[in-house]
Amino acid sequence: MKIVSDLPSPLTALDRPNSYIGRSVPRPNLKRLAQGRAQYVSDMTLPRMAHVAYLRSPHAHARIVKLDKSKAEKALGVIAVVTGPELAKVITPWVGVLTHLKGIKSAPQYALAVDRACWQGEAVCAVVAKARAQAEDACELIEIVYEELPAVTDPETALDPNTPVIHPELGDNLTFERTLDAGEVDKAFAESDAVIEQTFHFGRHTGVTNEPRSIIADWNPGEERLTVYQGTQAPHMMQNLFAKHLDLAEHQVRVVTKDVGGSFGVKVHTYADEMAVVALSKMLKRPIKFVADRLESFVTDIHARDHRVRGKIGIRKDGTITAFEIDDLTGIGPYSVYPRTSGIEANQVVNLTGGPYACPNYRARARVVFQNKNVMCQYRAVGHPIAVAVTEGLVDLAAAKIGMDPVEVRKKNLIPDDAYPATAASGIKFEKLSHIASTEKILSMMDYKALRADQAAARARGIYRGIGFASFIEVTNPSAAFYGVGGAKISAQDGATVRLDGKGAIFCHTGVSEQGQGAEAVIAQCVASAFGVSMDKVRVIMGDTDNTPYGGGTWASRAAGIGGEAAWQAGKALRENVLAAAASILQAQASDLDIDNGIVVNKGTKTERITLEEVARVCYFRPDTLPPGFQAELVATRHYVPRAWAFSFTNGIQASYLEVDTDTGFIKLLKHWCVEDCGTVINPQLVDEQIRGGIVQGLGGALFEHCLYDERGQLLNGNMADYLVPMAMEMPDMQIGHVVTPTADSELGAKGAGEAGTAGAPACVMNAINDALRPLGAKPLTDMPFTPGKVLRALGKV
């Protein structure tokens, strides 16, 4: 895959001597990971550690009539067999609601089902044994009688009066509803030359991380302290939740996150079986380990998407978009996932639909309903692929209706680059975006005119190729307005503590966490650049609530923009402290000194004055030689949170060129482009890796991935043989370009880049497919994933 690296030089404010900002430096952890020397939870063994396996419900909805565990308790190696009511005495249930999502509701969820199982795969009993195999064998000895209950599986009928209510105490199956009406929508539609309506479907899919969810909980009754080793994206959040529901003080809980084999949002939620692990450890007073197997992952890892959106757009003959309207319906499983809630994705769809366009008339309704399927919640690019696909799909259909090039329609309606700050019709505020510059850049990269000529020549030969575009915006660097304002203990700020060791190296402790995305490299680049040492002199410590500043962790493309800024500020502060100490030793003015490549130098002449090792030696081991009253402080802590803007939005545009075999329905991806503006790019290679990885996941949802259920709520393809994930051979060459519009809310000016690829890829592939088939009179394809069968049905061949 080809990478375009056309980034400008770093900003003047960041242009420190030998700065790493804007450089593609290797990840510090690369050698260790490549040698297989990572340490995942699966690798860990503790003294007296036991293993837990769960008996899971085979029914989507069933009452537990009888559970006899006597045979299982006598099985080889079994330590304990614990039921839902027994575990509920140790750990309290939780309810996934946020106060700023008006009216959202959910039922209490328990670590193990107490009287009912509400989805196929919900754990109803736990077996703890000396070995995982022994625990699994004993699960088969549990005698359980279920009374199968009606399963609510179709979101379209979930609110019908004749549909059973999953949680009768809530009154109905509606979790959350939001409506929005901006401008004069009806008038705008009435004055349009064309009004296009289309229904879009988005199939359920899930993260399929390389490393399954994993956790070891170790309650030490002597210390009255719980240590949890967990593959999580947010260690401090989990510390808070474990303490809260085990009735402990936060200082009694330590969460350690070492290496994590991918997350994508899957590992940022509260899972009942993981809460059961910490409760079992406290109950049994010994370490308990759980690693989900792949089959468990499919029925318990959060699912995402699963939306039905009815969309409507108005347009004039000159290409002016007059109005957008959407009606979004999504099913989320039987519970709103804690603590982020399952209402956020639909809320994002309402916020982001129509976002890139200067159209003031917008009406939206979103309804989130309960159903007896696995729970749904945030996954990479929360809501973005839905909002972008609906918006961009409608734009393309409108362009075709009036006979205008889809690029020209976009250029006519995108918010101009000189019109910021701007506010979308949904009320979302944008600091500074670059839609027009991004569009012009991608057209140049792909040689749009030549590509259209190639498409026409192929059609003349009976080969049907299509070109699709998708402009997008992405939420990054979220402030407390995302979760904290709703009452969730999810930190929007992040901190970094840096210290000079006795040999002149730097230790940086940060609240963000490494999930495989390269956060360790970015933090090291920020500290090394701000302080003035080479990166090999910086050691980054993360993922330990005992040893890192309080922070939000890694989610919503925040690690570089928030955690990186905290590290940058901490590095600057430590530099000032060290220069003060050096000046004291040298009997000079600190303002006349600087640090360059690990040496204290004269600021103007760069003459070397003293090494960092010597500064550390004097301050740590001979402080008696320093002037009276001077105390060296060779450590600094800084925190950062965005303040001027609730979110730092990024933007960009993607394009796809593909070929559709009209006889078989198979789609061949020929080439993919993405121009992305994430502000200051700290590490171009990592940014492009994130974009390409995001595109692959977006293509997976568009073409391959789909969690298929039957009418009884049974997952039909919960295994790696039947659930299709995109593979390297299916992926096209990807060309990445950048426009750089830094945020003024931080010195670095960095925004996030982790979700941009996923946001735009499904939409541009959808538009490219429809562009390819339009000459054949095919019905628009708007039901993801776009399988060969759906293509043939659109062509009327099956």
Side-chain angles (χ1 to χ4, degrees), residues 326-453:
I326 66 164
D327 185 323
D328 179 21
L329 177 67
T330 180
I332 58 155
Y335 300 101
S336 174
V337 176
Y338 184 66
R340 295 165 187 268
T341 86
S342 301
I344 287 290
E345 180 159 271
N347 197 59
Q348 289 277 73
V349 173
V350 173
N351 284 340
L352 301 176
T353 298
Y357 298 101
C359 175
N361 307 306
Y362 175 44
R363 180 182 293 142
R365 177 175 73 159
R367 288 171 297 161
V368 181
V369 298
F370 294 117
Q371 57 186 169
N372 294 116
K373 295 181 181 178
N374 186 22
V375 292
M376 289 221 327
C377 205
Q378 283 86 304
Y379 168 63
R380 192 174 195 171
V382 182
H384 293 66
I386 292 96
V388 175
V390 171
T391 302
E392 296 300 290
L394 290 172
V395 168
D396 260 36
L397 292 172
K401 184 73 173 180
I402 64 171
M404 183 177 285
D405 186 287
V407 172
E408 294 308 312
V409 172
R410 285 175 173 81
K411 289 167 70 174
K412 185 175 183 66
N413 291 279
L414 288 167
I415 300 173
D417 293 354
D418 60 359
Y420 293 94
T423 302
S426 66
I428 294 293
K429 299 182 184 300
F430 304 125
E431 176 191 7
K432 180 71 172 152
L433 302 179
S434 58
H435 286 297
I436 301 300
S438 297
T439 301
E440 294 294 349
K441 189 175 187 68
I442 203 168
L443 293 175
S444 174
M445 285 168 55
M446 63 194 295
D447 196 351
Y448 182 52
K449 290 183 179 180
L451 211 61
R452 283 294 185 195

Side-chain angles (χ1 to χ4, degrees), residues 82-399:
V82 183
T83 65
E86 291 168 337
L87 203 63
K89 297 175 183 178
V90 181
I91 188 166
T92 58
W94 52 90
V95 181
V97 297
L98 290 169
T99 58
H100 67 300
L101 298 182
K102 304 294 185 184
I104 190 171
K105 65 187 185 228
S106 188
Q109 185 178 1
Y110 289 83
L112 295 174
V114 172
D115 59 356
R116 278 187 308 148
C118 289
W119 83 89
Q120 177 212 4
E122 183 174 10
V124 298
C125 191
V127 177
V128 179
K130 294 179 180 178
R132 172 66 179 255
Q134 292 172 331
E136 291 179 352
D137 289 345
C139 282
E140 298 182 8
L141 300 176
I142 297 171
E143 297 178 2
I144 186 165
V145 177
Y146 294 100
E147 176 193 348
E148 193 168 358
L149 302 172
V152 179
T153 59
D154 185 0
E156 294 284 357
T157 60
L159 300 177
D160 291 354
N162 295 328
T163 300
V165 176
I166 296 174
H167 303 293
E169 67 273 20
L170 299 180
D172 57 30
N173 290 322
L174 181 66
T175 314
F176 172 63
E177 181 173 13
R178 181 187 172 191
T179 59
L180 185 150
D181 201 334
E184 299 178 292
V185 177
D186 293 331
K187 180 182 178 183
F189 280 131
E191 295 175 352
S192 301
D193 293 313
V195 175
I196 297 90
E197 298 185 56
Q198 185 66 47
T199 299
F200 300 81
H201 289 92
F202 302 86
R204 264 185 181 241
H205 50 279
T206 187
V208 197
T209 57
N210 281 343
E211 179 202 19
R213 290 186 297 107
S214 51
I215 183 172
I216 298 174
D218 182 10
W219 171 256
N220 186 324
E223 296 181 343
E224 293 193 327
R225 198 148 196 261
L226 176 72
T227 301
V228 181
Y229 302 91
Q230 185 182 22
T232 178
Q233 296 172 234
H236 283 100
M237 181 192 83
M238 295 312 302
Q239 177 193 36
N240 169 264
L241 298 178
F242 292 146
K244 177 179 179 179
H245 293 284
L246 288 173
D247 194 26
L248 300 171
E250 277 199 28
H251 67 80
Q252 289 179 276
V253 179
R254 177 190 182 191
V255 177
V256 180
T257 299
K258 298 195 175 185
D259 293 303
V260 178
S263 295
F264 316 129
V266 168
K267 297 173 185 173
V268 78
H269 306 290
T270 301
Y271 288 92
D273 49 20
E274 295 180 4
M275 296 294 272
V277 171
V278 298
L280 289 166
S281 179
K282 191 167 186 289
M283 173 188 280
L284 301 175
K285 299 179 175 59
R286 65 190 301 163
I288 305 293
K289 182 175 186 176
F290 170 68
V291 178
D293 64 34
R294 190 59 69 183
L295 298 179
E296 287 179 301
S297 293
F298 274 109
V299 295
T300 57
D301 287 3
I302 60 104
H303 292 176
R305 316 307 187 221
D306 201 5
H307 290 247
R308 184 275 292 148
V309 184
R310 295 193 180 105
K312 187 176 178 181
I313 188 172
I315 193 166
R316 297 196 186 106
K317 290 179 182 178
D318 67 356
T320 302
I321 296 171
T322 57
F324 286 101
E325 183 174 1
I326 66 164
D327 185 323
D328 179 21
L329 177 67
T330 180
I332 58 155
Y335 300 101
S336 174
V337 176
Y338 184 66
R340 295 165 187 268
T341 86
S342 301
I344 287 290
E345 180 159 271
N347 197 59
Q348 289 277 73
V349 173
V350 173
N351 284 340
L352 301 176
T353 298
Y357 298 101
C359 175
N361 307 306
Y362 175 44
R363 180 182 293 142
R365 177 175 73 159
R367 288 171 297 161
V368 181
V369 298
F370 294 117
Q371 57 186 169
N372 294 116
K373 295 181 181 178
N374 186 22
V375 292
M376 289 221 327
C377 205
Q378 283 86 304
Y379 168 63
R380 192 174 195 171
V382 182
H384 293 66
I386 292 96
V388 175
V390 171
T391 302
E392 296 300 290
L394 290 172
V395 168
D396 260 36
L397 292 172

